[in-house]
Amino acid sequence: MTGLTRALAAIAFAALVSGAAASALIVSSDHTPSPGAGIAIGLTISWSFVGTGLYAWWRRPTNRFGALMAAVGFTFMLGALTGSDDSVVFTGGVLLASLYFVVFAHMVLAYPDGRLERRSHARLLTAGYALAVVGPLPQLLWGFTDRMNESCPDCPQSALLIERDDTLRDVFNALTSAVGVVLVGVILVILLRRWRAATPLQRRALAPVLWSG
């Protein structure tokens, strides 16, 4: 067994353990609706990305795309932390739950060799990673919206809560949402330009990844 094979086997085992831990957290949750369906869907998505990514990594060790696919699967599991009844763990889950969106965007932009074409793409993704963590802060610092409270009345209180301030929360929510829309728009423009510049053969290869993006 080569060093790469051992490393990939270890990552696969880590994915199994992480999936089991996430499932246990959801099962024990007092505020997660339909835990069985959530576990089934979550494991299908996360393990599919990890498994496919590890296979691609094994087939082409120098290509980073497989590693990014596996990273999407692992970061998707972080959303299970919101199932915790502990305030600190729940808060951490809210902060990290959207991270997989940016990792997925990273994967799409880095297709097919797992490397970004331009430095501007790296700066764009850096902003995306920062926004994914900063975006939930307004609700965590100044109180959840009424819609959030109605959809999850038994969710723990934020461990970062300062005091309830609907005005501050709504203003900063609007700002982060606007930045998010701009970032998504820029990524879509990049993908559309890449599609238009591709040859018919390249388009057939790009289609599954670009349309999913």
Side-chain angles (χ1 to χ4, degrees):
M1 182 180 290
T2 65
L4 175 63
T5 303
R6 285 195 294 269
L8 296 180
I11 294 173
F13 180 73
L16 291 175
V17 173
S18 299
S23 300
L25 193 61
I26 293 174
V27 167
S28 64
S29 175
D30 291 332
H31 62 271
T32 301
S34 305
I39 291 172
I41 295 172
L43 291 181
T44 298
I45 294 174
S46 57
W47 283 349
S48 294
F49 271 99
V50 173
T52 306
L54 293 181
Y55 177 74
W57 196 347
W58 174 68
R59 287 293 303 272
R60 297 183 178 180
T62 60
N63 191 313
R64 300 176 183 175
F65 189 77
L68 286 171
M69 285 196 72
V72 173
F74 276 105
T75 51
F76 185 84
M77 292 188 216
L78 293 174
L81 295 175
T82 59
S84 175
D85 296 318
D86 178 82
S87 177
V88 174
V89 177
F90 171 80
T91 301
V94 173
L95 285 172
L96 300 175
S98 299
L99 195 60
Y100 79 95
F101 281 114
V102 190
V103 181
F104 182 82
H106 190 162
M107 181 195 76
V108 173
L109 288 178
Y111 182 82
D113 60 1
R115 292 172 174 82
L116 299 173
E117 294 179 353
R118 303 178 182 179
R119 290 185 179 180
S120 60
H121 295 177
R123 290 193 290 268
L124 178 66
L125 287 171
T126 298
Y129 282 112
L131 182 65
V133 177
V134 173
L137 278 177
Q139 295 202 66
L140 294 173
L141 293 174
W142 297 301
F144 293 116
T145 61
D146 292 336
R147 181 180 298 179
M148 173 66 179
N149 288 326
E150 290 172 2
S151 63
C152 188
D154 297 323
C155 281
Q157 181 174 280
S158 166
L160 300 177
L161 182 66
I162 299 173
E163 62 177 353
R164 186 170 182 86
D165 191 319
D166 293 345
T167 301
L168 277 176
R169 181 201 62 219
D170 292 343
V171 168
F172 280 97
N173 265 346
L175 288 174
T176 55
S177 296
V179 173
V181 169
V182 171
L183 292 178
V184 171
V186 173
I187 291 173
L188 287 176
V189 169
I190 293 172
L191 296 179
L192 290 173
R193 286 179 176 176
R194 185 177 296 179
W195 176 263
R196 291 179 64 183
T199 65
L201 182 61
Q202 289 173 330
R203 287 183 179 182
R204 284 196 291 271
L206 285 169
V209 174
L210 295 185
W211 285 118
S212 66

